[in-house]
Amino acid sequence: MLAQTTKLVDSFALVAQRMTLADVPKLHELSVGVGWMHRPQDWEMVLSLGEGVFAVDEIGRAVGSAMWFPMGDDLASVGMVIIAPRLQEQGAGRWLMDQLLARTGSRDLTLNATRIAYRLYISLGFLPECKVFQHNGVVVDNPEVPPGARPMQASDEAAIRELDAVAIGADRGKILDRLLAVSTGTVLERDGLIVGYALSRRFGRGRVVGPIVALDELDAIALASPHVRDRAGKFLRVDTREQVGPLRDYLVASGLRLHDTAITMSKGERRTIPGPQRIFGLINQAIG
């Protein structure tokens, strides 16, 4: 049963609608209003990967959005949650999340919470797990790293999908379908087996590197390094859950300074990642 799709706020009504590509101009305007980097093309990308609802006011302006991204039948990531600042203290965020949660069914859920939204997610039963560190900036250097990564080839895709499923503990094959079509990639190969990969694609002010799937931080650096080198003098972003250590040191030395943080949270069963590969760079904060 779906939640109530209309909400009264200060004597005017908000209406929840299903997102479509036709809504991208309004959604882009909404994200610009809260300082997000997303281009219209980035909204089109996430709409091709998941489903969403957005709220409009009585004159048709978008005032809120929320999306979910299925990963198999029992897990989904929640993201692209935006509430217009003037409505953040009036229950609009809780109401919009109710719309979304009515659609995700019994799936376990994961998300990356901004500081503003953290209390809302706690009230909805999400539990904190770890921090996400958003590094971005203009690449000013590419510190010397051990060689090893090579360009991704079409014949590598099956191995990449297997590694990704191991690292995330879920099936996000449909998401990879879209990412592989728009990304350049690197892989690490040892003894004839691919043991790590990284993808880079256009996003926001420049490009983003993610996902990065590897055995350890040094492998993650080796996978990211060619993408960093290719962006010398240009804007690049990497989101990682790694704490203080070699990967984040490498990003800072390259010019990608810490810009912001988020909190990874979950609702339902917490996923234990079987490994040995794991996620060192996120696709984005909406998907993980």
Side-chain angles (χ1 to χ4, degrees):
M1 181 176 178
L2 296 184
Q4 178 61 44
T5 58
T6 303
K7 179 176 177 63
L8 287 175
V9 177
D10 277 355
S11 78
F12 64 88
L14 304 181
V15 179
Q17 301 180 357
R18 182 178 178 273
M19 285 182 188
T20 70
L21 284 173
D23 303 316
V24 165
K26 290 182 178 180
L27 294 167
H28 179 242
E29 184 178 353
L30 178 66
S31 59
V32 167
V34 295
W36 287 17
M37 300 180 182
H38 295 69
R39 307 167 300 151
Q41 297 94 322
D42 299 321
W43 272 105
E44 291 170 4
M45 175 80 167
V46 293
L47 278 167
S48 73
L49 299 176
E51 302 177 27
V53 293
F54 77 110
V56 296
D57 63 15
E58 290 179 320
I59 61 172
R61 295 176 298 186
V63 294
S65 67
M67 292 192 68
W68 64 285
F69 304 90
M71 300 181 196
D73 296 329
D74 59 356
L75 178 67
S77 178
V78 173
M80 305 305 290
V81 180
I82 307 173
I83 303 298
R86 63 192 173 92
L87 300 177
Q88 287 173 0
E89 299 299 326
Q90 302 189 47
R94 176 64 181 252
W95 166 74
L96 192 58
M97 282 296 297
D98 286 342
Q99 308 298 313
L100 183 140
L101 294 176
R103 291 162 168 80
T104 56
S106 60
R107 286 178 170 86
D108 298 326
L109 301 175
T110 181
L111 57 78
N112 295 298
T114 62
R115 288 186 293 272
I116 292 174
Y118 180 78
R119 286 188 301 168
L120 168 63
Y121 298 134
I122 287 288
S123 74
L124 289 166
F126 286 85
L127 299 175
E129 294 187 11
C130 59
K131 270 191 177 181
V132 175
F133 302 91
Q134 180 192 140
H135 284 259
N136 63 37
V138 174
V139 175
V140 297
D141 193 14
N142 188 26
E144 194 75 22
V145 301
R150 65 165 174 80
M152 178 184 70
Q153 302 169 0
S155 58
D156 300 325
E157 287 193 11
I160 285 171
R161 292 173 187 276
E162 290 180 11
L163 286 182
D164 193 80
V166 166
I168 199 69
D171 175 14
R172 54 181 187 180
K174 291 183 179 180
I175 292 173
L176 282 177
D177 288 345
R178 181 74 174 114
L179 289 180
L180 289 166
V182 298
S183 300
T184 58
T186 50
V187 298
L188 274 177
E189 188 173 358
R190 293 195 181 104
D191 300 323
L193 296 176
I194 292 175
V195 297
Y197 81 94
L199 301 179
S200 173
R201 69 187 186 282
R202 185 80 172 83
F203 174 80
R205 294 169 55 188
R207 292 183 76 85
V208 60
V209 182
I212 305 171
V213 173
L215 288 165
D216 56 37
E217 288 191 68
L218 294 182
D219 280 2
I221 292 169
L223 286 160
S225 178
H227 301 291
V228 174
R229 182 171 59 248
D230 288 347
R231 295 298 293 172
K234 299 177 183 177
F235 189 87
L236 187 65
R237 172 173 170 171
V238 177
D239 292 80
T240 183
R241 296 189 180 100
E242 294 305 298
Q243 305 295 312
V244 175
L247 177 58
R248 291 188 57 211
D249 289 346
Y250 167 77
L251 295 175
V252 171
S254 301
L256 309 187
R257 300 195 175 276
L258 179 63
H259 175 73
D260 202 356
T261 61
I263 301 292
T264 296
M265 306 181 74
S266 62
K267 181 180 175 71
E269 181 181 348
R270 250 185 220 203
R271 299 305 175 106
T272 55
I273 306 304
Q277 279 83 2
R278 58 191 180 90
I279 303 289
F280 285 87
L282 279 60
I283 294 173
N284 57 28
Q285 290 190 21
I287 300 173

